Amino acid sequence: MLHARIDGWATATIAHPSLKGQKIVFCTPVDENGKDAGMPIAAVDPIGAGRHAKVFITTDGSWTQNTVHDETSPIRNQVIGILDES
Amino acid sequence: MKPGRVIGTVTLSQGAPQFRGARWLLVSPMGKDELSGKNAGLSQASTPVVYDKIGAGVGDEILYVEGAEATQPFPEPIPLDAINVAILDHYAYAPPASS
């Protein structure tokens, strides 16, 4: 599980079939104080998190293979929750 | 998935038989500066070699996956660490001004 902030988005026409129809977002990992903590990563976002929202991301590929209904999917990162502001 | 820019290709004269017909990309990972347009060149991060079967070329921005999931599209076991999963058409990246 990664704590991250939504900082961007991307579109791709040519992609692995399991990415078709998925929203792709760029996220910056953050630490417990909200400071940036690492290189940006891309994730699929089925729940529609907004710009600069704080989110939880799973890096469990087998979970994502379930949710995209494709056991050949190489996708690992998926937004699984939006944090309430604290 | 990690964003990267294709900066070259790799060819093998010998390789594991599972790699027959494979294309390989040399990829410069994109960090905050590269994604937000402050650095159009190479990043400081080390440069992975990425398997490609969707046809990315030098100069393309891609998403690649590292780790065990990279082998997931293959029906047979394959000794692979990184695979290209998307060629980006458009992207935007803008962290909040305070960070």
Side-chain angles (χ1 to χ4, degrees), chain A:
Chain A
M1 300 273 274
L2 263 177
H3 183 191
R5 183 185 62 233
I6 305 281
D7 278 345
W9 51 270
T11 59
T13 310
I14 301 169
H16 187 271
S18 63
L19 273 171
K20 287 269 147 43
Q22 299 286 333
K23 185 182 167 200
I24 302 170
V25 294
F26 282 126
C27 317
T28 308
V30 294
D31 66 15
E32 63 271 24
N33 300 315
K35 295 259 183 266
D36 293 5
M39 299 264 286
I41 57 169
V44 295
D45 176 18
I47 58 180
R51 183 169 183 249
H52 296 164
K54 301 276 175 59
V55 294
F56 265 131
I57 292 169
T58 178
T59 58
D60 179 355
S62 60
W63 170 258
T64 303
Q65 285 151 24
N66 274 328
T67 57
V68 300
H69 307 295
D70 182 352
E71 63 185 24
T72 70
S73 174
I75 303 167
R76 300 183 64 181
N77 303 338
Q78 182 178 22
V79 177
I80 52 168
I82 303 170
L83 270 72
D84 296 334
E85 284 304 322
S86 60

Side-chain angles (χ1 to χ4, degrees), chain B residues 30-45:
Chain B
M30 295 173 79
K32 291 176 196 167
D33 286 350
E34 291 75 26
L35 280 173
S36 53
K38 289 177 198 154
N39 178 10
L42 303 182
S43 66
Q44 296 295 312

